[in-house]
Amino acid sequence: MSQGKYIESFDSHTKRFLSAMRGQFRDQDSYDEMLYSNDEILYEIFEVKRPEVAGELLHGISLIHPGKVGDEYFMTKGHFHTELETAELYYCLQGNGMMLMETPEGEWAVEVMAEGNVVYVPPRWAHRSINTNPAGDLVLFFVYPANAGHDYGSIEFQGFRKVVIERDGQPVVEDNPRWLPPESR
Amino acid sequence: MSQGKYIESFDSHTKRFLSAMRGQFRDQDSYDEMLYSNDEILYEIFEVKRPEVAGELLHGISLIHPGKVGDEYFMTKGHFHTELETAELYYCLQGNGMMLMETPEGEWAVEVMAEGNVVYVPPRWAHRSINTNPAGDLVLFFVYPANAGHDYGSIEFQGFRKVVIERDGQPVVEDNPRWLPPESR
């Protein structure tokens, strides 16, 4: 993997700290405890600047660092696209993870990611990347239509239906007890 | 590189033979001679099927095999998008090559490709992938808006302004004597 050299050519670099993820992890006590000791970086995004219009493609690399909050793996905030009918594509460059997906109606799906895998997130599906490898970064190359826009607020409010947590050293998918189903939003 | 495993999950596999590239290489005599002895495969494309509408992303892998016609490297046909205002993105997974680009007005550009490089082809630019490594395949992961469409005919008719040929073992960019400039089309 030689993303290091390439990353220098990106226009923006976003660092997402633990403090920006309040309320997103299932185990709130572990979250508070971790945050008290160190507001660490959970993931980073490197992106190329392009005009945000249909026909252009925004693209970049995300690095999700290894770690857990309680037994829940480090993950991205997750988002719908503001322009709901737009897809997103991920090529896994390094590591192991899962892509957790959900429609506004509450359908859910999960795809396993390993080096060389492509995950296609169809239009309408919210998506969150999760690093299930405790030993190293999950490195993803992502591409999406430049007019897509990001809606982070819906997921912050309602959560994902599922969480991915570690049980006996393995990632398993479980229900999120704090998920708000469509009828109670 | 582990594209082998991934390629099994594509929906279509296109093989482009030397015979499909008549008139595209500069050295017509070498072309005829090669074709007479063996109609070999110059490149292959593996693609995922998605609805061909705005918001979706078509994607796949292209393998450009090593070789030359005369002193000109194996290359793809090259194309404009029918929907001209759409981009295309390439992530180089393996090998070495060049992306040759041109606008309808005759501006040209070339980008070098090596493992880990991204080449962004902005809207309006025709593009052709060229394998400059005599020792192995050029392997590219590509993504483009699903409503883009392919216009191969313009390039077949007018050619690219430039060619990439081997001089003393190195790729160099030279004029294409058979290029038709915009005013003579």
Side-chain angles (χ1 to χ4, degrees):
Chain A
M1 249 304 291
S2 53
Q3 90 272 13
K5 141 189 81 125
Y6 177 51
I7 274 173
E8 291 164 24
S9 70
F10 285 103
D11 300 310
S12 72
H13 179 192
T14 305
K15 295 175 188 172
R16 197 74 82 188
F17 291 86
L18 183 61
S19 54
M21 298 283 283
R22 177 168 297 285
Q24 300 301 300
F25 289 94
R26 190 163 73 166
D27 182 346
Q28 198 62 49
D29 292 342
S30 295
Y31 177 87
D32 290 338
E33 215 168 282
M34 278 181 71
L35 187 56
Y36 183 77
S37 89
N38 177 27
D39 187 9
E40 61 186 297
I41 295 173
L42 303 200
Y43 64 99
E44 305 182 50
I45 294 173
F46 301 82
E47 200 164 23
V48 169
K49 214 175 168 57
R50 293 294 311 170
E52 296 184 5
V53 297
E56 296 269 1
L57 298 167
L58 292 176
H59 57 283
I61 283 180
S62 50
L63 304 178
I64 298 106
H65 298 305
K68 287 179 292 177
V69 175
D71 52 12
E72 192 173 1
Y73 297 105
F74 282 5
M75 61 192 186
T76 62
K77 285 189 145 201
H79 61 272
F80 285 98
H81 289 160
T82 313
E83 196 69 51
L84 198 59
E85 297 296 335
T86 53
E88 184 153 350
L89 191 137
Y90 292 83
Y91 189 97
C92 182
L93 295 171
Q94 186 182 293
N96 298 89
M98 287 188 183
M99 184 69 72
L100 187 61
M101 295 178 277
E102 185 167 327
T103 66
E105 294 76 28
E107 279 177 281
W108 68 277
V110 69
E111 293 257 8
V112 172
M113 295 189 284
E115 188 181 327
N117 285 167
V118 171
V119 171
Y120 189 73
V121 180
R124 309 192 82 253
W125 288 76
H127 42 286
R128 158 176 285 169
S129 311
I130 299 162
N131 182 359
T132 57
N133 182 348
D137 286 343
L138 175 64
V139 185
L140 303 173
F141 179 69
F142 61 83
V143 187
Y144 58 97
N147 62 321
H150 289 90
D151 164 17
Y152 292 107
S154 297
I155 292 298
E156 277 171 3
F157 175 68
Q158 74 209 31
F160 275 89
R161 184 166 185 163
K162 299 288 174 177
V163 294
V164 178
I165 59 173
E166 192 181 82
R167 292 267 178 256
D168 305 321
Q170 293 301 315
V172 297
V173 179
E174 295 192 353
D175 284 338
N176 177 5
R178 296 189 298 109
W179 181 63
L180 277 184
E183 59 275 16
S184 23
R185 287 170 199 163
Chain B
M1 250 305 292
S2 55
Q3 89 273 14
K5 142 188 82 119
Y6 177 48
I7 275 174
E8 292 165 23
S9 70
F10 286 103
D11 300 310
S12 72
H13 178 195
T14 304
K15 296 175 189 170
R16 196 74 82 188
F17 291 86
L18 183 62
S19 54
M21 298 284 282
R22 176 167 299 283
Q24 299 303 298
F25 288 95
R26 190 163 74 165
D27 181 346
Q28 198 63 50
D29 291 343
S30 294
Y31 177 88
D32 289 337
E33 216 169 282
M34 278 180 74
L35 188 56
Y36 184 76
S37 90
N38 179 25
D39 187 9
E40 62 187 297
I41 297 173
L42 302 200
Y43 63 100
E44 306 182 50
I45 295 173
F46 300 82
E47 200 164 22
V48 168
K49 211 174 171 59
R50 293 295 309 170
E52 296 183 6
V53 298
E56 296 269 0
L57 297 167
L58 292 177
H59 57 284
I61 283 181
S62 51
L63 304 178
I64 299 106
H65 297 306
K68 288 178 291 179
V69 174
D71 52 13
E72 191 173 1
Y73 296 104
F74 282 4
M75 61 191 186
T76 62
K77 285 190 144 199
H79 60 274
F80 285 97
H81 289 160
T82 313
E83 195 70 50
L84 197 59
E85 297 295 336
T86 52
E88 184 152 350
L89 191 137
Y90 291 83
Y91 188 97
C92 181
L93 296 172
Q94 185 182 293
N96 297 89
M98 288 188 180
M99 184 69 71
L100 186 61
M101 295 177 277
E102 184 166 327
T103 65
E105 295 75 29
E107 280 177 282
W108 68 276
V110 70
E111 293 258 8
V112 172
M113 296 189 283
E115 189 182 327
N117 285 168
V118 171
V119 172
Y120 189 73
V121 180
R124 308 192 83 254
W125 289 75
H127 43 286
R128 159 176 284 169
S129 312
I130 299 162
N131 183 359
T132 58
N133 182 346
D137 285 343
L138 175 65
V139 185
L140 305 172
F141 179 69
F142 61 83
V143 187
Y144 60 96
N147 61 321
H150 290 89
D151 164 18
Y152 292 107
S154 297
I155 293 298
E156 277 172 4
F157 174 68
Q158 74 209 33
F160 275 89
R161 185 167 186 163
K162 298 288 175 179
V163 294
V164 179
I165 60 173
E166 191 180 83
R167 293 266 178 253
D168 303 323
Q170 293 300 314
V172 297
V173 179
E174 296 192 353
D175 285 337
N176 177 5
R178 295 187 301 109
W179 181 63
L180 277 184
E183 60 275 17
S184 22
R185 285 170 201 162

